PDB file of all heavy atoms in Angstrom:
ATOM      1  N   LEU M   1     -37.119-142.043  76.669  1.00  0.00           N
ATOM      2  CA  LEU M   1     -37.865-141.099  77.486  1.00  0.00           C
ATOM      3  C   LEU M   1     -38.491-140.047  76.574  1.00  0.00           C
ATOM      4  O   LEU M   1     -37.948-139.752  75.475  1.00  0.00           O
ATOM      5  CB  LEU M   1     -36.973-140.373  78.504  1.00  0.00           C
ATOM      6  CG  LEU M   1     -36.581-141.069  79.796  1.00  0.00           C
ATOM      7  CD1 LEU M   1     -35.605-140.202  80.608  1.00  0.00           C
ATOM      8  CD2 LEU M   1     -37.816-141.407  80.624  1.00  0.00           C
ATOM      9  N   ARG M   2     -39.565-139.503  77.032  1.00  0.00           N
ATOM     10  CA  ARG M   2     -40.223-138.398  76.280  1.00  0.00           C
ATOM     11  C   ARG M   2     -40.347-137.214  77.233  1.00  0.00           C
ATOM     12  O   ARG M   2     -41.014-137.344  78.270  1.00  0.00           O
ATOM     13  CB  ARG M   2     -41.579-138.827  75.743  1.00  0.00           C
ATOM     14  CG  ARG M   2     -42.325-137.732  74.990  1.00  0.00           C
ATOM     15  CD  ARG M   2     -43.630-138.274  74.454  1.00  0.00           C
ATOM     16  NE  ARG M   2     -44.499-137.308  73.863  1.00  0.00           N
ATOM     17  CZ  ARG M   2     -44.440-136.881  72.630  1.00  0.00           C
ATOM     18  NH1 ARG M   2     -43.511-137.327  71.817  1.00  0.00           N
ATOM     19  NH2 ARG M   2     -45.320-135.997  72.183  1.00  0.00           N
ATOM     20  N   LEU M   3     -39.750-136.120  76.853  1.00  0.00           N
ATOM     21  CA  LEU M   3     -39.845-134.881  77.624  1.00  0.00           C
ATOM     22  C   LEU M   3     -40.942-133.994  77.034  1.00  0.00           C
ATOM     23  O   LEU M   3     -41.094-133.925  75.791  1.00  0.00           O
ATOM     24  CB  LEU M   3     -38.526-134.137  77.659  1.00  0.00           C
ATOM     25  CG  LEU M   3     -37.319-134.865  78.206  1.00  0.00           C
ATOM     26  CD1 LEU M   3     -36.129-133.959  78.239  1.00  0.00           C
ATOM     27  CD2 LEU M   3     -37.585-135.485  79.548  1.00  0.00           C
ATOM     28  N   SER M   4     -41.611-133.274  77.899  1.00  0.00           N
ATOM     29  CA  SER M   4     -42.608-132.313  77.412  1.00  0.00           C
ATOM     30  C   SER M   4     -42.271-130.947  78.030  1.00  0.00           C
ATOM     31  O   SER M   4     -41.738-130.868  79.118  1.00  0.00           O
ATOM     32  CB  SER M   4     -44.030-132.722  77.868  1.00  0.00           C
ATOM     33  OG  SER M   4     -44.380-133.986  77.298  1.00  0.00           O
ATOM     34  N   CYS M   5     -42.669-129.901  77.311  1.00  0.00           N
ATOM     35  CA  CYS M   5     -42.507-128.534  77.794  1.00  0.00           C
ATOM     36  C   CYS M   5     -43.742-127.756  77.462  1.00  0.00           C
ATOM     37  O   CYS M   5     -44.126-127.635  76.285  1.00  0.00           O
ATOM     38  CB  CYS M   5     -41.273-127.880  77.116  1.00  0.00           C
ATOM     39  SG  CYS M   5     -41.107-126.166  77.532  1.00  0.00           S
ATOM     40  N   ALA M   6     -44.408-127.304  78.486  1.00  0.00           N
ATOM     41  CA  ALA M   6     -45.648-126.543  78.333  1.00  0.00           C
ATOM     42  C   ALA M   6     -45.381-125.059  78.578  1.00  0.00           C
ATOM     43  O   ALA M   6     -44.756-124.693  79.583  1.00  0.00           O
ATOM     44  CB  ALA M   6     -46.703-127.054  79.286  1.00  0.00           C
ATOM     45  N   ALA M   7     -45.840-124.237  77.657  1.00  0.00           N
ATOM     46  CA  ALA M   7     -45.640-122.795  77.764  1.00  0.00           C
ATOM     47  C   ALA M   7     -46.952-122.129  78.252  1.00  0.00           C
ATOM     48  O   ALA M   7     -48.046-122.572  77.867  1.00  0.00           O
ATOM     49  CB  ALA M   7     -45.242-122.202  76.428  1.00  0.00           C
ATOM     50  N   SER M   8     -46.801-121.143  79.059  1.00  0.00           N
ATOM     51  CA  SER M   8     -47.935-120.322  79.472  1.00  0.00           C
ATOM     52  C   SER M   8     -47.543-118.849  79.337  1.00  0.00           C
ATOM     53  O   SER M   8     -46.366-118.538  79.143  1.00  0.00           O
ATOM     54  CB  SER M   8     -48.331-120.628  80.932  1.00  0.00           C
ATOM     55  OG  SER M   8     -47.263-120.372  81.828  1.00  0.00           O
ATOM     56  N   GLY M   9     -48.532-118.010  79.387  1.00  0.00           N
ATOM     57  CA  GLY M   9     -48.253-116.597  79.165  1.00  0.00           C
ATOM     58  C   GLY M   9     -48.471-116.265  77.699  1.00  0.00           C
ATOM     59  O   GLY M   9     -49.261-116.891  77.015  1.00  0.00           O
ATOM     60  N   ASN M  10     -47.686-115.311  77.216  1.00  0.00           N
ATOM     61  CA  ASN M  10     -47.889-114.853  75.848  1.00  0.00           C
ATOM     62  C   ASN M  10     -47.054-115.679  74.883  1.00  0.00           C
ATOM     63  O   ASN M  10     -45.872-115.494  74.690  1.00  0.00           O
ATOM     64  CB  ASN M  10     -47.484-113.377  75.738  1.00  0.00           C
ATOM     65  CG  ASN M  10     -48.048-112.749  74.473  1.00  0.00           C
ATOM     66  OD1 ASN M  10     -48.428-113.434  73.562  1.00  0.00           O
ATOM     67  ND2 ASN M  10     -48.121-111.432  74.476  1.00  0.00           N
ATOM     68  N   PHE M  11     -47.741-116.639  74.257  1.00  0.00           N
ATOM     69  CA  PHE M  11     -47.060-117.564  73.319  1.00  0.00           C
ATOM     70  C   PHE M  11     -46.860-116.907  71.974  1.00  0.00           C
ATOM     71  O   PHE M  11     -45.960-117.338  71.220  1.00  0.00           O
ATOM     72  CB  PHE M  11     -47.895-118.841  73.178  1.00  0.00           C
ATOM     73  CG  PHE M  11     -47.165-119.958  72.513  1.00  0.00           C
ATOM     74  CD1 PHE M  11     -46.206-120.667  73.180  1.00  0.00           C
ATOM     75  CD2 PHE M  11     -47.490-120.338  71.210  1.00  0.00           C
ATOM     76  CE1 PHE M  11     -45.545-121.718  72.579  1.00  0.00           C
ATOM     77  CE2 PHE M  11     -46.861-121.404  70.618  1.00  0.00           C
ATOM     78  CZ  PHE M  11     -45.875-122.094  71.290  1.00  0.00           C
ATOM     79  N   PHE M  12     -47.640-115.883  71.659  1.00  0.00           N
ATOM     80  CA  PHE M  12     -47.524-115.245  70.354  1.00  0.00           C
ATOM     81  C   PHE M  12     -46.116-114.664  70.161  1.00  0.00           C
ATOM     82  O   PHE M  12     -45.594-114.031  71.082  1.00  0.00           O
ATOM     83  CB  PHE M  12     -48.557-114.105  70.233  1.00  0.00           C
ATOM     84  CG  PHE M  12     -48.378-113.279  68.990  1.00  0.00           C
ATOM     85  CD1 PHE M  12     -48.831-113.762  67.783  1.00  0.00           C
ATOM     86  CD2 PHE M  12     -47.755-112.063  69.022  1.00  0.00           C
ATOM     87  CE1 PHE M  12     -48.676-113.033  66.626  1.00  0.00           C
ATOM     88  CE2 PHE M  12     -47.580-111.306  67.865  1.00  0.00           C
ATOM     89  CZ  PHE M  12     -48.046-111.795  66.667  1.00  0.00           C
ATOM     90  N   GLY M  13     -45.539-114.939  69.023  1.00  0.00           N
ATOM     91  CA  GLY M  13     -44.237-114.384  68.707  1.00  0.00           C
ATOM     92  C   GLY M  13     -43.055-115.262  69.063  1.00  0.00           C
ATOM     93  O   GLY M  13     -41.915-114.867  68.827  1.00  0.00           O
ATOM     94  N   ILE M  14     -43.303-116.417  69.662  1.00  0.00           N
ATOM     95  CA  ILE M  14     -42.210-117.359  69.935  1.00  0.00           C
ATOM     96  C   ILE M  14     -41.769-117.932  68.603  1.00  0.00           C
ATOM     97  O   ILE M  14     -42.475-118.731  68.001  1.00  0.00           O
ATOM     98  CB  ILE M  14     -42.604-118.426  70.929  1.00  0.00           C
ATOM     99  CG1 ILE M  14     -42.919-117.833  72.287  1.00  0.00           C
ATOM    100  CG2 ILE M  14     -41.503-119.432  71.065  1.00  0.00           C
ATOM    101  CD1 ILE M  14     -43.268-118.812  73.382  1.00  0.00           C
ATOM    102  N   SER M  15     -40.614-117.530  68.154  1.00  0.00           N
ATOM    103  CA  SER M  15     -40.153-117.931  66.823  1.00  0.00           C
ATOM    104  C   SER M  15     -39.483-119.315  66.805  1.00  0.00           C
ATOM    105  O   SER M  15     -39.547-120.021  65.815  1.00  0.00           O
ATOM    106  CB  SER M  15     -39.188-116.869  66.278  1.00  0.00           C
ATOM    107  OG  SER M  15     -38.084-116.736  67.164  1.00  0.00           O
ATOM    108  N   VAL M  16     -38.841-119.644  67.888  1.00  0.00           N
ATOM    109  CA  VAL M  16     -38.115-120.917  67.894  1.00  0.00           C
ATOM    110  C   VAL M  16     -38.142-121.457  69.320  1.00  0.00           C
ATOM    111  O   VAL M  16     -38.120-120.700  70.289  1.00  0.00           O
ATOM    112  CB  VAL M  16     -36.669-120.765  67.402  1.00  0.00           C
ATOM    113  CG1 VAL M  16     -35.867-119.811  68.247  1.00  0.00           C
ATOM    114  CG2 VAL M  16     -35.973-122.119  67.315  1.00  0.00           C
ATOM    115  N   MET M  17     -38.260-122.756  69.442  1.00  0.00           N
ATOM    116  CA  MET M  17     -38.152-123.444  70.731  1.00  0.00           C
ATOM    117  C   MET M  17     -37.156-124.576  70.611  1.00  0.00           C
ATOM    118  O   MET M  17     -36.855-125.036  69.520  1.00  0.00           O
ATOM    119  CB  MET M  17     -39.534-123.968  71.166  1.00  0.00           C
ATOM    120  CG  MET M  17     -40.599-122.866  71.357  1.00  0.00           C
ATOM    121  SD  MET M  17     -42.112-123.476  72.067  1.00  0.00           S
ATOM    122  CE  MET M  17     -41.609-123.761  73.772  1.00  0.00           C
ATOM    123  N   GLY M  18     -36.678-124.998  71.749  1.00  0.00           N
ATOM    124  CA  GLY M  18     -35.704-126.087  71.696  1.00  0.00           C
ATOM    125  C   GLY M  18     -35.388-126.615  73.060  1.00  0.00           C
ATOM    126  O   GLY M  18     -36.034-126.292  74.053  1.00  0.00           O
ATOM    127  N   TRP M  19     -34.349-127.429  73.048  1.00  0.00           N
ATOM    128  CA  TRP M  19     -33.872-128.054  74.287  1.00  0.00           C
ATOM    129  C   TRP M  19     -32.373-127.870  74.428  1.00  0.00           C
ATOM    130  O   TRP M  19     -31.615-128.093  73.469  1.00  0.00           O
ATOM    131  CB  TRP M  19     -34.203-129.538  74.264  1.00  0.00           C
ATOM    132  CG  TRP M  19     -35.629-129.820  74.320  1.00  0.00           C
ATOM    133  CD1 TRP M  19     -36.511-129.987  73.269  1.00  0.00           C
ATOM    134  CD2 TRP M  19     -36.457-130.023  75.508  1.00  0.00           C
ATOM    135  NE1 TRP M  19     -37.791-130.213  73.731  1.00  0.00           N
ATOM    136  CE2 TRP M  19     -37.759-130.266  75.087  1.00  0.00           C
ATOM    137  CE3 TRP M  19     -36.161-130.019  76.873  1.00  0.00           C
ATOM    138  CZ2 TRP M  19     -38.801-130.485  76.010  1.00  0.00           C
ATOM    139  CZ3 TRP M  19     -37.176-130.255  77.774  1.00  0.00           C
ATOM    140  CH2 TRP M  19     -38.479-130.479  77.329  1.00  0.00           C
ATOM    141  N   TYR M  20     -31.972-127.465  75.624  1.00  0.00           N
ATOM    142  CA  TYR M  20     -30.589-127.433  76.028  1.00  0.00           C
ATOM    143  C   TYR M  20     -30.390-128.552  77.062  1.00  0.00           C
ATOM    144  O   TYR M  20     -31.323-129.005  77.651  1.00  0.00           O
ATOM    145  CB  TYR M  20     -30.243-126.085  76.714  1.00  0.00           C
ATOM    146  CG  TYR M  20     -29.957-124.926  75.781  1.00  0.00           C
ATOM    147  CD1 TYR M  20     -30.995-124.336  75.037  1.00  0.00           C
ATOM    148  CD2 TYR M  20     -28.669-124.398  75.684  1.00  0.00           C
ATOM    149  CE1 TYR M  20     -30.708-123.247  74.224  1.00  0.00           C
ATOM    150  CE2 TYR M  20     -28.406-123.288  74.871  1.00  0.00           C
ATOM    151  CZ  TYR M  20     -29.418-122.744  74.145  1.00  0.00           C
ATOM    152  OH  TYR M  20     -29.165-121.643  73.334  1.00  0.00           O
ATOM    153  N   ARG M  21     -29.119-128.877  77.245  1.00  0.00           N
ATOM    154  CA  ARG M  21     -28.817-129.798  78.366  1.00  0.00           C
ATOM    155  C   ARG M  21     -27.481-129.403  78.968  1.00  0.00           C
ATOM    156  O   ARG M  21     -26.599-128.851  78.282  1.00  0.00           O
ATOM    157  CB  ARG M  21     -28.811-131.225  77.939  1.00  0.00           C
ATOM    158  CG  ARG M  21     -27.779-131.637  76.915  1.00  0.00           C
ATOM    159  CD  ARG M  21     -27.938-133.093  76.510  1.00  0.00           C
ATOM    160  NE  ARG M  21     -26.969-133.544  75.560  1.00  0.00           N
ATOM    161  CZ  ARG M  21     -26.958-134.756  75.015  1.00  0.00           C
ATOM    162  NH1 ARG M  21     -27.914-135.669  75.332  1.00  0.00           N
ATOM    163  NH2 ARG M  21     -26.015-135.097  74.178  1.00  0.00           N
ATOM    164  N   GLN M  22     -27.343-129.722  80.231  1.00  0.00           N
ATOM    165  CA  GLN M  22     -26.108-129.385  80.943  1.00  0.00           C
ATOM    166  C   GLN M  22     -25.710-130.567  81.810  1.00  0.00           C
ATOM    167  O   GLN M  22     -26.426-130.920  82.771  1.00  0.00           O
ATOM    168  CB  GLN M  22     -26.289-128.142  81.809  1.00  0.00           C
ATOM    169  CG  GLN M  22     -24.999-127.666  82.464  1.00  0.00           C
ATOM    170  CD  GLN M  22     -25.138-126.293  83.109  1.00  0.00           C
ATOM    171  OE1 GLN M  22     -26.232-125.843  83.374  1.00  0.00           O
ATOM    172  NE2 GLN M  22     -24.026-125.606  83.267  1.00  0.00           N
ATOM    173  N   ALA M  23     -24.575-131.156  81.483  1.00  0.00           N
ATOM    174  CA  ALA M  23     -24.032-132.255  82.242  1.00  0.00           C
ATOM    175  C   ALA M  23     -23.136-131.685  83.358  1.00  0.00           C
ATOM    176  O   ALA M  23     -22.649-130.534  83.216  1.00  0.00           O
ATOM    177  CB  ALA M  23     -23.218-133.199  81.360  1.00  0.00           C
ATOM    178  N   PRO M  24     -22.876-132.427  84.422  1.00  0.00           N
ATOM    179  CA  PRO M  24     -22.039-131.943  85.504  1.00  0.00           C
ATOM    180  C   PRO M  24     -20.638-131.500  85.022  1.00  0.00           C
ATOM    181  O   PRO M  24     -20.002-132.199  84.282  1.00  0.00           O
ATOM    182  CB  PRO M  24     -21.907-133.149  86.434  1.00  0.00           C
ATOM    183  CG  PRO M  24     -23.157-133.952  86.193  1.00  0.00           C
ATOM    184  CD  PRO M  24     -23.445-133.775  84.709  1.00  0.00           C
ATOM    185  N   GLY M  25     -20.273-130.274  85.374  1.00  0.00           N
ATOM    186  CA  GLY M  25     -18.953-129.776  84.997  1.00  0.00           C
ATOM    187  C   GLY M  25     -18.861-129.276  83.555  1.00  0.00           C
ATOM    188  O   GLY M  25     -17.756-128.913  83.105  1.00  0.00           O
ATOM    189  N   LYS M  26     -19.995-129.234  82.864  1.00  0.00           N
ATOM    190  CA  LYS M  26     -19.979-128.815  81.440  1.00  0.00           C
ATOM    191  C   LYS M  26     -20.906-127.629  81.231  1.00  0.00           C
ATOM    192  O   LYS M  26     -21.755-127.321  82.081  1.00  0.00           O
ATOM    193  CB  LYS M  26     -20.357-129.956  80.537  1.00  0.00           C
ATOM    194  CG  LYS M  26     -19.366-131.117  80.575  1.00  0.00           C
ATOM    195  CD  LYS M  26     -19.680-132.171  79.533  1.00  0.00           C
ATOM    196  CE  LYS M  26     -18.667-133.274  79.526  1.00  0.00           C
ATOM    197  NZ  LYS M  26     -18.918-134.306  78.479  1.00  0.00           N
TER     198      LYS M  26
END
């Protein structure tokens, strides 16, 4: 699978981006 994340608003100054995940009960 390929996930995408589009940002809007003030993108300037975003130093790091990433992905978190949360499984049930964790």
Side-chain angles (χ1 to χ4, degrees):
L1 278 177
R2 180 177 171 86
L3 303 184
S4 299
C5 173
S8 60
N10 198 341
F11 193 74
F12 173 78
I14 294 183
S15 57
V16 60
M17 298 188 74
W19 293 90
Y20 279 71
R21 64 185 181 182
Q22 186 169 21
K26 296 188 177 181

